[in-house]
Amino acid sequence: MPFELPELAFDYTALEPHIDAQTMEIHHTKHHQGYITKLNAVIEKYPELDGRSIEDLLEHLSDLPLDDVDKTALRNNGGGHANHSLFWSIIGPEKKVQDDLVEKITEEFGSLDNFKEQFATAAATQFGSGWAWLVSDKNGALQVYATPNQDSPLMQGHKPLLGLDVWEHAYYLKYQNRRPEYIEAWWNVLTVL
Ligand code: MN
């Protein structure tokens, strides 16, 4: 069963003016679909991996019986699929605040504003393409950090709770080189906080 592009729960125009419709459409139908197509091409070569979830594959990446080229392709494209699937699921036109998450963040970071500042700094200072994350680590504690490329926190046994795509393809049409403005705008479309 090959991996498929998840449908969005909202229209491409729904995040305007914070994220423009053209960026959303290209990001979803071209970039995310591109990762899935390349991910499926790897899985096709290893029938024994068929049917395993993307989370399972990334968590066990280092143990998988793939040659180096295919493992890198799985890391990049499987990460791309998992990361974008999470990304679409936590943004939208309407708030659906998760009170338990807000409470845990407040407990561990002192305040929601403190957390947002740390997260925005991680996102703004990631050199080149990558992601900023809020994760639950192996002890269940929250951590904020960034990863390069499409690397997923799942690869180090962390559960990603929030992820912000800071690849230029996520913001360049509207914000050009102004990544901090995109990060600031993103809080408006994040539904869960
Ligand atoms: Mn992206």
Side-chain angles (χ1 to χ4, degrees):
M1 183 72 180
F3 291 101
E4 288 178 4
L5 186 67
E7 275 189 40
L8 300 191
F10 48 85
D11 295 337
Y12 294 130
T13 56
L15 307 183
E16 300 258 12
H18 308 293
I19 301 180
D20 61 286
Q22 190 185 11
T23 295
M24 282 301 299
E25 182 166 4
I26 294 171
H27 200 174
H28 184 239
T29 63
K30 306 294 184 197
H31 292 281
H32 190 173
Q33 181 61 60
Y35 296 122
I36 292 170
T37 302
K38 290 176 186 154
L39 166 64
N40 286 336
V42 176
I43 301 297
E44 212 166 281
K45 292 171 70 174
Y46 300 88
E48 67 270 32
L49 301 183
D50 196 24
R52 292 178 66 171
S53 71
I54 193 60
E55 291 81 9
D56 181 34
L57 291 172
L58 292 170
E59 281 165 14
H60 298 99
L61 188 66
S62 53
D63 307 324
L64 297 178
L66 277 61
D67 70 36
D68 287 350
V69 170
D70 289 331
K71 194 168 280 196
T72 299
L74 180 56
R75 174 180 182 161
N76 290 337
N77 297 293
H81 177 42
N83 296 346
H84 287 84
S85 296
L86 173 68
F87 187 62
W88 309 133
S89 75
I90 57 171
I91 58 177
E94 283 166 36
K95 289 280 177 192
K96 292 173 198 158
V97 173
Q98 291 177 9
D99 293 327
D100 51 342
L101 182 59
V102 173
E103 197 176 311
K104 190 157 168 63
I105 287 172
T106 306
E107 236 169 62
E108 297 202 23
F109 293 90
S111 71
L112 205 50
D113 281 348
N114 274 349
F115 157 72
K116 284 185 172 183
E117 200 181 311
Q118 280 189 42
F119 187 92
T121 298
T125 57
Q126 166 58 32
F127 182 75
S129 297
W131 289 73
W133 300 103
L134 173 70
V135 305
S136 178
D137 71 16
K138 287 173 182 167
N139 300 315
L142 299 182
Q143 288 189 36
V144 166
Y145 54 79
T147 58
N149 306 315
Q150 293 294 351
D151 284 356
S152 164
L154 293 165
M155 288 161 38
Q156 46 182 320
H158 294 173
K159 182 180 164 50
L161 303 174
L162 303 178
L164 172 55
D165 189 346
V166 295
W167 282 57
E168 284 186 343
H169 70 226
Y171 63 86
Y172 200 84
L173 291 178
K174 181 176 172 72
Y175 295 98
Q176 291 84 48
N177 63 325
R178 303 185 305 277
R179 188 191 287 185
E181 278 183 39
Y182 156 72
I183 296 166
E184 193 58 36
W186 182 72
W187 296 115
N188 294 297
V189 300
L190 178 68
T191 57
V192 298
L193 296 185

